[in-house]
Amino acid sequence: MRIILLAPPGAGKGTQAGRLSEKYRIPHVETGMIIRNAVRNETPAGIKAKEYVENGKLVPDEIVVELIRERIERDDCETGFILDGFPRTVPQAKAFDEMADDQDIKLDVVVFLDVANDVAKERLLDRGRDDDTPGAIEQRLEEYRNKTAPLIDFYREQELLVKVDGEQSIDAVTNSIEEAISHRLTEVAS
Ligand code: AMP
């Protein structure tokens, strides 16, 4: 099973991806964490990514694409994965399509967690991670609207998108996602 989780920052992607990873026994590929680790370890990619992360800006596509390529080429991703936080731009999505072609794998579903801007902002302010300063939060939401939101149509056109109300309780969101995925898989199979 190969899943992409698409949502604004603060929508609870990480929590939901962790649960899906357990349920479907597939690795949780957490892009933000991979990037933050690279920054902390001062790898060549991390050194380039640092100022973007700190300012709430998206890291340039070529850096992120390479980090994700390395991750999903590892053995544990052979039977599937859940991508949390990637792709976040149309060029990243296109690069992913090419990667999938090269590796002869297919995406099963893109889950779009729908959360209103104000709700996302409040959740981010409550969370208080290092990169959750008010300025960086505004910037991340703007990056989402400008660069990531177009992926909703991109995947709708590919008939891969399922939309879930992300403003419900955490458990209700998990249930809705699992229902949407199984509905989608039966649809494809029939
Ligand atoms: P996250 O933990 O998903 O909120 O990501 C934290 C930060 O990592 C973001 O604000 C970006 O600077 C960077 N980042 C994460 N995923 C991506 C991506 N797919 N493309 C570019 N930058 C990303």
Side-chain angles (χ1 to χ4, degrees):
M1 170 94 75
R2 296 182 186 86
I3 308 173
I4 285 176
L5 200 51
L6 183 62
K13 270 197 309 293
T15 308
Q16 299 298 338
R19 291 181 170 195
L20 294 174
S21 154
E22 276 178 29
K23 175 167 167 97
Y24 299 109
R25 297 173 187 280
I26 45 176
H28 173 192
V29 178
E30 204 177 345
T31 318
M33 179 87 86
I34 294 173
I35 296 173
R36 282 194 298 276
N37 283 342
V39 171
R40 194 170 320 118
N41 296 328
E42 300 183 341
T43 67
I47 291 168
K48 289 187 207 142
K50 188 174 193 292
E51 62 163 290
Y52 295 94
V53 176
E54 284 172 353
N55 294 314
K57 294 208 164 229
L58 289 180
V59 174
D61 291 332
E62 56 283 7
I63 298 175
V64 181
V65 166
E66 274 322 301
L67 288 170
I68 294 297
R69 185 198 306 278
E70 274 168 28
R71 179 64 192 91
I72 67 176
E73 277 175 4
R74 282 198 226 144
D75 290 349
D76 64 334
C77 284
E78 215 161 277
T79 56
F81 46 75
I82 172 148
L83 288 180
D84 160 9
F86 180 89
R88 266 182 158 129
T89 66
V90 171
Q92 287 179 18
K94 290 185 174 161
F96 177 78
D97 279 349
E98 280 174 28
M99 258 184 248
D101 272 352
D102 289 348
Q103 292 187 34
D104 214 12
I105 56 173
K106 258 182 54 201
L107 193 58
D108 293 290
V109 63
V110 177
V111 176
F112 166 46
L113 266 189
D114 193 16
V115 171
N117 192 59
D118 289 353
V119 176
K121 197 191 297 184
E122 252 170 58
R123 290 189 185 173
L124 288 170
L125 285 166
D126 280 347
R127 188 171 72 175
R129 205 170 67 191
D130 277 357
D131 57 340
D132 286 339
T133 59
I137 288 174
E138 277 304 332
Q139 184 67 50
R140 299 226 298 277
L141 289 167
E142 196 178 319
E143 292 275 73
Y144 172 78
R145 284 192 296 272
N146 292 338
K147 296 183 185 157
T148 309
L151 291 177
I152 299 166
D153 279 341
F154 180 89
Y155 286 119
R156 193 178 278 135
E157 278 161 23
Q158 293 190 20
E159 296 181 358
L160 284 167
L161 196 84
V162 298
K163 178 168 148 176
V164 168
D165 175 3
E167 294 186 14
Q168 312 170 81
S169 71
I170 296 180
D171 287 343
V173 172
T174 308
N175 287 337
S176 300
I177 294 176
E178 289 177 4
E179 268 170 30
I181 290 177
S182 61
H183 183 244
R184 153 106 205 142
L185 295 182
T186 35
E187 228 175 44
V188 172
S190 63

